Amino acid sequence: MKGNIIILSAPSGTGKTTILKRVMPELGPISFSISHTTRGPRAGEKNGSDYHFVSKDEFLRLKDQGDFLEWAEVHGNYYGTSVHSVLALQETGQDVVLDIDIQGARQVRQKLKQPYSIFIIPPSWEEQAKRLRGRGTDDDATIALRLSNAKKELGDVDFYDFVVVNDSIEEASEMFRAIILSLRAKGRRLANGQEIALL
Ligand code: ADP
Ligand code: 5GP
């Protein structure tokens, strides 16, 4: 039985990566699609596990070859999702999380049947700015660009199935976990991802 495709979007600095890292190990058959990007790695990010870090030429070559399910320019860099790896993961019965922006989400909704989608929002713009600065990975210009894009991104919130506010990390993580488990139940699967055998 195929797993669910779950789009996950959030304004930069909201805490999407933090939630995923907390919750994914507890959710059994679920994986995260590793995107390609032309952005440089941040301290601690590893090629092939956080992203496939590629040059702009390599990215455009992959795009022209039709390797991407979706791709977009986000905050001045290119990002794309490999169609082959998403479909291969889904075939193994795992749920596949696509951490992509609103432009990518629109493309995936057009191309795939029934992707589910979750939008995470920060409790306030002040808190989002504080988190972006506190992360310490981006310079002031990058932070300003990401904050100004955040308000536009929020305009797509109504296209998403679920909205989670990341105020308390514990509550937001629990909400994310509950959504994944209820999508399995909706697809006639047990919480552990196995198909339900009817009595
Ligand atoms: P994103 O992946 O959405 O860009 P990150 O997961 O990198 O965001 O989180 C941005 C920063 O905010 C990190 O320093 C992280 O530790 C912090 N953070 C995440 N969630 C919370 C929360 N609920 N409360 C306080 N800080 C948080
Ligand atoms: P970051 O540079 O902070 O890791 O990611 C910036 C933004 O790019 C985030 O909104 C993230 O969801 C988005 N993103 C990451 N990978 C992809 C992808 O493969 N496709 C698209 N469209 N957006 C992506």
Side-chain angles (χ1 to χ4, degrees):
M1 203 176 197
K2 286 186 186 176
N4 291 316
I5 301 279
I6 299 145
I7 297 167
L8 179 64
S9 302
S12 181
T14 299
K16 186 164 33 93
T17 312
T18 308
I19 292 173
L20 281 180
K21 290 199 168 154
R22 282 175 70 105
V23 174
M24 297 272 283
E26 301 167 3
L27 277 170
I30 188 164
S31 43
F32 164 77
S33 155
I34 301 168
S35 298
H36 286 73
T37 183
T38 60
R39 161 166 88 58
R42 296 182 183 132
E45 282 185 332
K46 291 200 189 77
N47 191 26
S49 76
D50 293 287
Y51 279 107
H52 300 291
F53 294 101
V54 294
S55 66
K56 192 168 172 185
D57 283 351
E58 174 64 2
F59 188 96
L60 295 175
R61 192 186 66 75
L62 293 168
K63 172 180 91 64
D64 292 343
Q65 221 171 257
D67 279 15
F68 292 136
L69 169 62
E70 63 73 38
W71 70 277
E73 186 176 348
V74 191
H75 315 312
N77 292 296
Y78 290 130
Y79 296 80
T81 303
S82 153
V83 65
H84 172 74
S85 68
V86 169
L87 298 182
L89 284 168
Q90 191 191 22
E91 285 295 332
T92 67
Q94 299 188 68
D95 293 330
V96 188
V97 177
L98 310 183
D99 169 350
I100 60 178
D101 85 315
I102 58 169
Q103 305 170 78
R106 287 180 181 199
Q107 296 169 47
V108 174
R109 282 192 200 98
Q110 280 174 3
K111 287 190 186 166
L112 296 186
K113 260 195 276 166
Q114 273 216 334
Y116 294 109
S117 56
I118 306 173
F119 198 93
I120 304 181
I121 60 171
S124 67
W125 296 121
E126 292 72 26
E127 176 63 18
Q128 190 216 357
K130 200 171 123 196
R131 288 183 192 170
L132 266 179
R133 291 193 197 98
R135 187 167 69 185
T137 53
D138 302 294
D139 59 32
D140 287 349
T142 305
I143 291 176
L145 177 66
R146 287 176 176 239
L147 287 172
S148 80
N149 287 342
K151 301 199 176 162
K152 294 177 211 148
E153 287 162 348
L154 207 61
D156 261 37
V157 73
D158 285 345
F159 298 117
Y160 287 73
D161 299 308
F162 303 95
V163 179
V164 174
V165 180
N166 181 19
D167 190 351
S168 136
I169 188 66
E170 287 77 20
E171 282 176 23
S173 302
E174 188 49 32
M175 184 77 105
F176 181 84
R177 210 174 78 86
I179 292 168
I180 302 296
L181 295 182
S182 46
L183 290 178
R184 286 185 188 158
K186 185 171 159 67
R188 310 295 186 260
R189 287 192 294 151
L190 297 168
N192 69 7
Q194 284 176 350
E195 192 170 349
I196 291 174
L198 294 178
L199 302 173

